[in-house]
Amino acid sequence: MPDYQEQERAFLKKAAALFDADAVETIRHAVEFAEAAHEGQKRDSGEPYIIHPIAVADMLLDMNLNPSAIAAGLLHDVLEDNAGITFDVLKREFGIETAELVDGVTKLTKTSLSEHTTKEEEQAETIRKMFLAMARDIRVIIIKLTDRLHNMQTLEYCRSDKRVRKAQETLDIYAPLAHRFGMGEMKSQLENLCFYHIHPDEYTILEKQVEHHRKEREDVLNSNIEMIRELIQGAGIEILDLHGRPKNLYSIYRKMQNQNLTFDQIYDLVAIRIIATSEADCYHILGLLHNHWKPLPGKIKDYIAVPKPNMYQSLHTTLMSEHGFPFEVQIRTREMHEAAEYGIAAHWKYKERREDSSDLDNKLNWLRQIMDWQSEVKDAKDFLETLKIDFFTEYVFVFTPKGDVFDLAAGSTPVDFAYRVHSAVGNKCSGARVNGKMVPLDSVLQTGDIVEILISASMPGPSLDWLRFIKTQQAKNKIKAWFRKEYKEENIIKGKDMLEREAKRLGYTFSQLVKPEWTLALFKRLTLTTVDDLCAAVGYGGISTQQVLSRLVEEYKRENKSEPDIEKRPVMPERANRKGEGIVVKGQENMLVRFAKCCNPVQGDAIVGFITRGRGVSIHRSDCPNLAGLMEDAGRLIDVEWAKTEVKASYKARVQLNFREREGFFSDLFRLLDTLHIHPDYFNTKKDEKAHTTTLNITFDISNTEHLESVLKQLRKLEGALDVFRSNPA
Ligand code: MN
């Protein structure tokens, strides 16, 4: 019996174990159909062509794709290779789902190559097609990647010039795409094969070195694994898997190239992988390991709380073993592991299982990832243009300066973006830069914008004004939540007092002005409900007394026609001095200083002062777009600088945190630390089984005591935190 018949039998058997009889029949039909279509065709290896589509479909089975997609895998080359078979034939024989998948893969494959096409143009075209295909059905890309993987596995039969070109293309486009889609297994197989074909000598040498090294260290590795097993068992934690896994050769090679290292300088050749049953266990295990071995500073990575852009989740740490060499450990749950191996394919499977799976949801998720991916691929100039196709008009996609992508409702502003990043960012948002330029906070964001939020510690909180222009419900809810918290008695009293005094200065009494019919419009605009709310908002500085009273005075005047008895009133300085603190105006003392609203400088920015008429010096950032206009009046610019505060230093702080066990505590903790820009370089935990509490010790860099106090304050707010204090290093 020829080889391919053996392969076919095994494949059908595997399918029969997974699907019902109808589905298996469809798949069998697809095998026979493809066999007939490719009759007489040969692979470069000389084998019958059918081995290729079966191999592709077999890998798709392993990725848990559904029967229609498996059939499409079997049929993926029939439209391209056989003029006689049309889309309609496939639709009739296999249904619309399969026919469209095959059509999608075929369109990706066909190139409109002319002799004038440059490599860059070709690449841009491929990327554009990938995007369009993806917008239709993500499985097109999964099938295409699988097709490419099998072609790479059999590349040795190819002519050598074609071989290197294919491998280079795979390395440039397909491997990064697999990476972006979180398909770790696919990516590492593709990369290793490319590496082998592009640099065969380096590949062989490295392979030998790794093998030699592995044998040498095998005992140590095994004893570490055993020790880990004991620690975990001793703590009464159950795990699903624990094993050592050699790192991808290409990633070792690239590391040596990029960081100019010799083989001996690479220590993370093998990673020990632990599959735990819950997220909480992942953190507990990490704590156990850190109690036993010393972690290398800067090597603890929490991708559970802060997943990579491709949704990869895991805890990583590198430990120093007693034998004197470091080893890496990765800890994750089964779900995280599947997502790391199969990425988007695993996600797709999960989505499909859900009854209410929203198609748009899927597409948006893919789009986010492909946009991320294209930012790594150079020369795809027109790619963003493509993104503006009408399909996605309800959404805009914007980037952080680091390249993370966020989707927001069309019409969203920098404030919506800030709240999407984190409510702490939103609440302290003092300005925004879009594509490097300062913009007003109510500007409308466009797809492809790079948005940077400036935050200022001196911001009292969100502005009620924002509610007028923000677009997303998420931001609205967060702002309202913040206000609810601030509507405390003391703020009400303080605000009432401020309003009373200001009203008096204007020649009224506050109670005169707060007639329900006059406050109505104001309340509506600021989404407040009671006068107490209004007083509280003034009390904590969310709005100024002027904002409130000018409106009410207008109403009063309209009703009472006759002007009240107003004395000449001084022009009100807008909370000027308080806001200008921390600025030194050169050669001038006691100048009234305020920060320009157009660019909201924060401590540390390069700044310039502008002497205003009658309102002191306004402080602008030196890159403020408004400065250009002000420059014409150069005589009014003045040198200013930030007042010197204490010398900035960074030192290590160690903190102990006792907390009550609860699901999600660690994620919350690490998300919080991340928003505070705290990156722990040491961390261990100790569980008290009886009391259901855990003690955590953590070490990180801190700039001063004030900073530490504010971090401790935030930590104490964590749900479940019992006791948080600064401790001394053990
Ligand atoms: Mn193919």
Side-chain angles (χ1 to χ4, degrees), residues 21 26 30 50 57 167 230 239 242 259 271 297 317 325 357 414 425 534 543 600 642-643 646 652 706 723:
T26 308
I50 189 67
E230 267 174 46
I239 52 166
L242 165 60
Q259 300 178 25
T317 187
F325 76 89
S357 87
V425 176
L534 185 69
I543 39 172
N600 281 306
W642 297 101
E646 70 268 56
K652 296 255 180 261
E706 212 176 298
D723 199 7

Side-chain angles (χ1 to χ4, degrees), residues 49 52 76-77 147 151:
Y49 195 86
H52 168 65
H76 80 267
D77 278 331
D147 173 45
N151 285 336

Side-chain angles (χ1 to χ4, degrees), residues 149 153 184-194 248:
L149 177 59
Q153 285 167 347
E185 184 55 32
M186 171 79 72
K187 173 206 166 224
S188 98
Q189 284 197 49
L190 286 174
E191 282 182 347
N192 278 344
L193 288 161
C194 295
N248 163 1

Side-chain angles (χ1 to χ4, degrees), residues 197-257:
H197 288 291
I198 299 171
H199 304 289
D201 295 343
E202 284 92 333
Y203 181 95
T204 313
I205 293 166
L206 192 58
E207 192 183 30
K208 291 224 161 70
Q209 280 175 314
V210 169
E211 181 58 19
H212 177 75
H213 182 92
R214 193 184 61 76
K215 281 193 182 130
E216 228 177 44
R217 295 275 170 87
E218 199 150 40
D219 292 344
V220 178
L221 181 71
N222 288 338
S223 83
N224 285 339
I225 290 179
E226 275 326 298
M227 190 64 222
I228 292 174
R229 200 183 301 282
E230 267 174 46
L231 289 172
I232 292 173
Q233 274 169 3
I237 298 172
E238 256 185 66
I239 52 166
L240 299 169
D241 195 17
L242 165 60
H243 65 271
R245 193 174 183 280
K247 285 267 183 103
N248 163 1
L249 275 189
Y250 179 69
S251 71
I252 298 172
Y253 173 74
R254 199 172 37 192
K255 193 168 180 178
M256 287 166 65
Q257 296 287 311

Side-chain angles (χ1 to χ4, degrees), residues 95-311:
I96 185 77
E97 192 181 340
T98 299
E100 282 190 337
L101 286 170
V102 174
D103 188 48
V105 177
T106 309
K107 285 195 173 119
L108 272 184
T109 310
K110 267 188 197 146
T111 47
S112 48
L113 274 183
S114 87
E115 31 189 316
H116 305 297
T117 326
T118 66
K119 193 186 160 220
E120 286 72 28
E121 284 167 342
E122 200 184 313
Q123 204 174 60
E125 176 65 8
T126 308
I127 293 165
R128 199 185 60 81
K129 279 190 191 155
M130 289 277 187
F131 166 72
L132 292 171
M134 183 204 56
R136 285 170 63 185
D137 193 326
I138 187 61
R139 291 172 298 173
V140 170
I141 306 282
I142 299 177
I143 297 170
K144 182 67 198 169
L145 282 168
T146 311
D147 173 45
R148 178 51 67 111
L149 177 59
H150 186 249
N151 285 336
M152 288 299 297
Q153 285 167 347
T154 51
L155 197 64
E156 68 216 74
Y157 302 106
C158 219
R159 268 198 350 251
S160 82
D161 57 327
K162 198 175 154 198
R163 204 157 65 206
V164 173
R165 199 167 53 82
K166 276 263 172 211
Q168 193 61 52
E169 184 192 43
T170 303
L171 200 55
D172 289 344
I173 295 184
Y174 292 89
L177 183 60
H179 174 60
R180 274 301 161 203
F181 281 179
M183 302 168 79
E185 184 55 32
M186 171 79 72
K187 173 206 166 224
S188 98
Q189 284 197 49
L190 286 174
E191 282 182 347
N192 278 344
L193 288 161
C194 295
F195 178 31
Y196 174 74
H197 288 291
I198 299 171
H199 304 289
D201 295 343
E202 284 92 333
Y203 181 95
T204 313
I205 293 166
L206 192 58
E207 192 183 30
K208 291 224 161 70
Q209 280 175 314
V210 169
E211 181 58 19
H212 177 75
H213 182 92
R214 193 184 61 76
K215 281 193 182 130
E216 228 177 44
R217 295 275 170 87
E218 199 150 40
D219 292 344
V220 178
L221 181 71
N222 288 338
S223 83
N224 285 339
I225 290 179
E226 275 326 298
M227 190 64 222
I228 292 174
R229 200 183 301 282
E230 267 174 46
L231 289 172
I232 292 173
Q233 274 169 3
I237 298 172
E238 256 185 66
I239 52 166
L240 299 169
D241 195 17
L242 165 60
H243 65 271
R245 193 174 183 280
K247 285 267 183 103
N248 163 1
L249 275 189
Y250 179 69
S251 71
I252 298 172
Y253 173 74
R254 199 172 37 192
K255 193 168 180 178
M256 287 166 65
Q257 296 287 311
N258 290 349
Q259 300 178 25
N260 215 355
L261 301 172
T262 64
F263 182 75
D264 297 326
Q265 290 169 303
I266 305 262
Y267 50 78
D268 46 353
L269 293 169
V270 177
I272 294 176
R273 192 171 284 163
I274 304 170
I275 310 293
T277 52
S278 74
E279 192 182 300
D281 280 353
C282 292
Y283 288 101
H284 278 307
I285 293 167
L286 185 68
L288 288 171
L289 300 183
H290 288 173
N291 273 335
H292 189 81
W293 288 288
K294 203 173 159 33
L296 292 193
K299 289 283 185 182
I300 305 172
K301 302 275 164 61
D302 182 356
Y303 298 121
I304 292 182
V306 187
K308 289 190 183 182
N310 67 5
M311 306 316 277

